[in-house]
Amino acid sequence: MRVLLLATLVNAFGNGAYLTTSVLFLTTVAGLSPAMIAIGLSAGAVAGVLAMTPLGYVADRYGPKRLSLLSMIVLAGAYTALLAVHSILPFALLSCVIAVATALVKGANGALAAGAVPAADRLRVRAKLRSMINAGMGLGTLAGSLPLLIKTDSGYVVILLVNAASFLVAAALLTRAPAVPPQVTPAGGPRLVALRDRPFLAFAALDGLLSSTYNDLLGIGLPLWLATGAHAPLWLISVALVINTVGCVLLQVRMSRGVHGLAAARRSALRGAVVVALACAVFAATAGRSPWAAGTLIGVAAVVHVLGEVWLSTGSWGIVFELAPTWAQGQYQGTYFAGRGIGDMIAPPLVTACVLGLHSGGWLLLGALFVLGGLLYIPVTRWAAATRPAARPEPVRV
């Protein structure tokens, strides 16, 4: 899987660089208004969510490696085509193409990682992939900051082309990855079985909300809190994000060790949710503190947050791998990411309303959400386990 890891690192580097400058490129080079950008990205988000599960099925049916290569080539062309965008309609269409192709990459790469290694190694490989994503995004963000210093349109164009090229380089690397044979749906069963799997849909919705929310705690909640509720400098946002990135890179693989089976994955997810809730309580405790004390507490909260995030994400992947049939890894991965997409729509207004509307009480409410969500993993995953073929009773211990 070294090839897949290297391809993921290269691709994440391009994505990180583009995300740093994307808004400025779209406003200054493409000439789009913020409202146009929001409409286009929203259209893409909806298209991506709707396409996740069907494209995951396609990846299972025709082989994930082949579909991953195709989607990367499409993404390289779609990002390059943004150079010709100057109005809302083509931008919205390209946003949909990018979102759908990205959905296919996620489902196909998940199925590729699941099918190319023994079942016992899947979680470790998935942890390594996330470490590569975080490392690549971090390095890409640094590269993308250079045009921000130069403040020229040509710099934004160069970063866009670097992102497009990263897909082609990643695709070239991926040609050397082992192929996973196409899977055949059992006779007499539904093709999109993941959409009929009600306990898995419940898990995907629950996990999608929690996962999107813990991401937005630092990306949205902390900046709003520093601007309105905490007496601490804004540069602490960067400190918290650096702690998060470094922590994910260094800890993700280590903390995935020993997580084998559905019960262990559930315990990891529950532990992570409770620890993220503790981080929310620490954020709430910064209210009314001196700048020094508030800054110290924010640093502590960032460390606690990344520990919870790593445990929670590890548990989530383990649950997906355990619940998905071998022949439907692609569509189950797609359904899982669709849950994340829905969560991405809910989490930003939720975090904003809690932090701006309820202040420190909002942080405590978010913490309560994580505790409740973590506890809900228990009945949801047991329900799912009971509906698997040849299901065996699980021990009561959680």
Side-chain angles (χ1 to χ4, degrees), residues 256-279:
S256 69
R257 295 171 185 168
V259 181
H260 304 294
L262 184 59
R266 179 175 58 228
R267 288 194 297 270
S268 179
L270 173 57
R271 183 187 307 119
V274 172
V275 172
V276 173
L278 179 60

Side-chain angles (χ1 to χ4, degrees), residues 258-346:
V259 181
H260 304 294
L262 184 59
R266 179 175 58 228
R267 288 194 297 270
S268 179
L270 173 57
R271 183 187 307 119
V274 172
V275 172
V276 173
L278 179 60
C280 291
V282 178
F283 279 126
T286 61
R289 306 284 182 177
S290 66
W292 182 88
T296 302
L297 287 173
I298 287 172
V300 171
V303 173
V304 175
H305 176 278
V306 74
L307 292 173
E309 176 181 339
V310 170
W311 268 317
L312 182 50
S313 58
T314 298
S316 299
W317 305 329
I319 292 170
V320 176
F321 285 137
E322 289 295 323
L323 296 183
T326 303
W327 49 269
Q329 285 287 341
Q331 63 170 293
Y332 271 75
Q333 293 281 343
T335 304
Y336 167 71
F337 283 114
R340 290 289 298 269
I342 295 173
D344 288 342
M345 299 177 191
I346 299 173

Side-chain angles (χ1 to χ4, degrees), residues 247-259:
C248 287
V249 171
L250 297 180
L251 298 176
Q252 193 73 68
V253 176
R254 179 184 298 274
M255 294 175 71
S256 69
R257 295 171 185 168
V259 181

